[in-house]
Structures are given as structure tokens and as C-alpha cells.
Amino acid sequence: MFSKQLVTVQALCDLNLFSLKNAYGGVQIHSRHSMPLLKKEKNKGYSIISNLAIRIGNDTWELIAEGPKLYKNGIYFDGFEDFSHEEQGSPILKTSFGPAGTYDAKEQDGSTHYSAQKYVKGQRKNIVEYVFTFPNNLYNKVVFRGNRHYRMNFVEVHGFASHSVQGFLGRTDKHGFFDRRGKDMMSKEESYLRRNKDTRFSIELYAQEWQVGLDEPNLFMNESNYPVAPQKCSFLGKGSIDGLVDSDIVDAGNDLTIMGEEARPRRKLFEVDEEVVLMATEACEHLSDDNPKKKFCLEDVMVTEEPELALDSFYEE
């Protein structure tokens, strides 16, 4: 998050991660959270990001974990090297490619609206990464990343500190967990208002606040198989907020009831055998013990039993 808070939530629904209205023609990022795509993983009790979508001005890009495959305005984008024709009926007049396979979206005056680059990474070349960068400030970038092997997506957002941004990833102007009206969901006032509902702030309540609503554009090509507003998100287990302890304001995952039933623990790590624990320990040993994301690496490798997952740059400091 923009506040540097580490959170985890196991949801089934679409979330509004990022909304920027006053630059680049508007930028929005949505994530679709689904059950694992691999059949052997479907009963593990965790969710994945199966689809990522970003709208930049009039262009909408969607990354589907199955593949992974990238679509632009609903059309399969089958490789930067092959995309050279001029687009019709759009403000983009031409495309160009650099040595790294860069796609430049051009304005009518010839200036660059935004750029996209594709990279293939990993020891087995399973990691496919798309980086969207913005003119005048190359630190402003959005990274979509998929993995051919375990079929799940990652998203990273860098920069944008000088812009007014809000969404599930937080705000750029102040730290905390804010609703769509800009109210701090962890404040004592908001906690008091919720007491009549016998609940305190939790990461699940926060995620529910940022479910893609009926009044927002649907950036995905296909309808979701999971809850879509006004039906609320489903949660597979208790989420967590790293560094926050249980209090009269915050429920950090100790006392939560989800969808009318008691939530399961976030990870079923008590069911993991010693061999899996050893595999996860070896897979994540390249990470420093001081790295707060190391425990995420260990838990994710244990629950997926995919050691290659530890090589994803998400776990780096």
C-alpha cells in the first residue's frame, strides 16, 4: 500500500485498486480475485489475482493469468514485436518499438501518452512482466506480472506521489485506511458508528469498501464468476494487517465473522508437513530475515507448494 502497510486478504470479487482522475487522461486499476486456476490448488483455501486491468485514457489493457495473455481494448495483443500497424478511430496515431520491445502510445501532437514494455524473467522464463510508464516522470509506473507455470498475477504501483490517488492501495496524500468519502475507517468515530453492527475495523471491511461498484466502469472483458456488486465480496478466511495489534478499534483477524459463518484461519499452515516447510525455507532463504515480506514468501510457498514463487520480485524489499 502507499502507506507501506503490508496487508493480506483472501477475497472473491473485483476490487478498485487505484483511481487517478486528473492526469494522463485518467488512470484506473482493477483486480479480479478468484479461486486458483490450477485444479490441484482449488481446495487450498486461498484466492489469486486471475485478472488485472488498467485503463489509461481511452485504452484498456487486461492481463489474464491463464497464459498469461494480454489484451488491449478487448483484442489479444500477441507480442510487442508484431504490433506495428496504425490504429484507427483513436487519438493514437502511430506506434513504435525500441530495442526492448517498447510500445509507445502517441498523442495527436506526437508526444508520448504512455509507454509499455514486456519482459520475460525467471530461471525458467515463466515470469512475464508488462511495465506501463508515464511521460515526464518515469518513476510513475504500473507493473503487471503473470506466471506461465502457477497461473496467478501480481501488480505493483510505483511513484504517483505528486498526484491525488485513492483506492484499495490507499491514498497518496495521507497514510491510513480510508473509505470512498475520505473518512479514516480506523478512527474512533468511525469505530463507534460501527459498534451497533457488532464489528470493528478489519481488512475485510476495507476490501468490501473498495469492491468495484455499480457506478464504476467494468474494465474486464468478461463477467466475473464471483460476487459482483451489489452482491458483496466473499472471503475465504481471515486477512491480516501487519504490525497492527487487536484493540477496541481494530480487529486484526482474531474475532471476525464473515458471510454469516466463522472465518477460517488465513493459512492452513498447521496442516503442512515438515518436507513442505523445509522446501519453503530453502526457497525463501535468499531473503533477509529483516525483510517483512519474508514471512509472506514462506506462507505462500507452503500453501501453494510452488518453490519458484519465491523468486517473484514481490518478496524483495
Side-chain angles (χ1 to χ4, degrees):
M1 300 182 67
F2 287 117
S3 62
K4 306 300 182 182
Q5 205 89 49
L6 295 177
V7 303
T8 181
V9 60
Q10 301 297 321
L12 298 176
C13 63
D14 297 347
L15 296 183
N16 182 336
L17 299 183
F18 176 107
S19 182
L20 168 62
K21 297 180 179 179
N22 299 322
Y24 310 119
V27 181
Q28 287 187 307
I29 306 172
H30 290 179
S31 57
R32 174 163 291 171
H33 301 253
S34 308
M35 294 297 291
L37 301 179
L38 298 176
K39 290 183 179 180
K40 68 182 182 68
E41 297 293 308
K42 286 192 174 181
N43 296 321
K44 289 288 187 72
Y46 68 92
S47 63
I48 64 164
I49 298 178
S50 60
N51 302 62
L52 285 167
I54 180 170
R55 175 173 290 177
I56 308 171
N58 294 324
D59 290 342
T60 301
W61 297 80
E62 181 175 351
L63 181 65
I64 297 176
E66 190 73 50
K69 295 180 180 179
L70 184 70
Y71 291 80
K72 180 176 180 287
N73 296 329
I75 300 174
Y76 176 53
F77 198 82
D78 59 352
F80 287 91
E81 299 80 10
D82 299 328
F83 194 89
S84 59
H85 66 277
E86 293 187 2
E87 298 186 351
Q88 303 298 322
S90 87
I92 300 173
L93 295 183
K94 62 180 180 178
T95 60
S96 61
F97 297 90
T102 299
Y103 165 77
D104 288 331
K106 296 291 187 179
E107 301 278 16
Q108 290 185 352
D109 62 2
S111 63
T112 299
H113 182 45
Y114 66 90
S115 298
Q117 290 180 303
K118 177 183 178 181
Y119 301 91
V120 179
K121 298 181 174 182
Q123 293 178 341
R124 301 178 183 177
K125 306 299 183 183
N126 282 329
I127 300 172
V128 182
E129 185 173 88
Y130 300 94
V131 181
F132 300 88
T133 57
F134 297 83
N136 303 324
N137 191 340
L138 296 181
Y139 291 105
N140 293 348
K141 64 181 180 180
V142 176
V143 181
F144 282 2
R145 189 165 56 253
N147 190 289
R148 295 188 177 107
H149 178 57
Y150 46 76
R151 300 178 190 174
M152 62 179 71
N153 290 329
F154 295 82
V155 57
E156 299 175 12
V157 178
H158 303 269
F160 298 97
S162 61
H163 297 286
S164 178
V165 174
Q166 64 175 359
F168 178 80
L169 294 180
R171 298 173 64 106
T172 49
D173 58 346
K174 48 189 173 182
H175 293 173
F177 296 84
F178 299 90
D179 66 16
R180 291 176 179 269
R181 296 162 298 283
K183 293 184 178 180
D184 185 352
M185 294 182 67
M186 289 178 58
S187 69
K188 291 184 178 180
E189 178 184 2
E190 291 300 304
S191 178
Y192 178 79
L193 293 175
R194 286 194 298 271
R195 285 180 182 176
N196 292 333
K197 301 179 182 179
D198 296 323
T199 185
R200 291 170 287 172
F201 173 83
S202 68
I203 193 59
E204 283 76 24
L205 287 174
Y206 181 69
Q208 188 62 68
E209 175 68 17
W210 289 104
Q211 181 185 15
V212 175
L214 293 175
D215 58 343
E216 297 178 87
N218 178 18
L219 303 187
F220 299 111
M221 295 179 293
N222 299 321
E223 293 184 1
S224 176
N225 295 325
Y226 298 101
V228 176
Q231 185 181 1
K232 293 183 177 182
C233 297
S234 294
F235 297 98
L236 300 176
K238 297 175 183 176
S240 68
I241 308 170
D242 192 51
L244 294 182
V245 296
D246 193 33
S247 69
D248 62 342
I249 298 176
V250 179
D251 184 338
N254 298 318
D255 238 348
L256 187 64
T257 298
I258 300 174
M259 303 300 287
E261 298 180 2
E262 185 177 352
R264 296 191 299 270
R266 184 175 75 89
R267 307 290 199 202
K268 295 183 178 180
L269 297 183
F270 54 84
E271 298 176 359
V272 176
D273 59 36
E274 291 184 5
E275 290 185 2
V276 175
V277 174
L278 178 61
M279 175 191 68
T281 302
E282 292 178 349
C284 301
E285 66 180 358
H286 64 288
L287 301 174
S288 166
D289 290 337
D290 296 329
N291 182 348
K293 291 184 181 179
K294 185 170 185 175
K295 70 175 183 178
F296 282 83
C297 177
L298 292 167
E299 292 176 353
D300 290 345
V301 171
M302 280 189 276
V303 76
T304 62
E305 299 184 18
E306 293 285 358
E308 186 182 353
L309 192 66
L311 300 178
D312 195 277
S313 58
F314 167 81
Y315 304 105
E316 299 173 1
E317 289 187 87

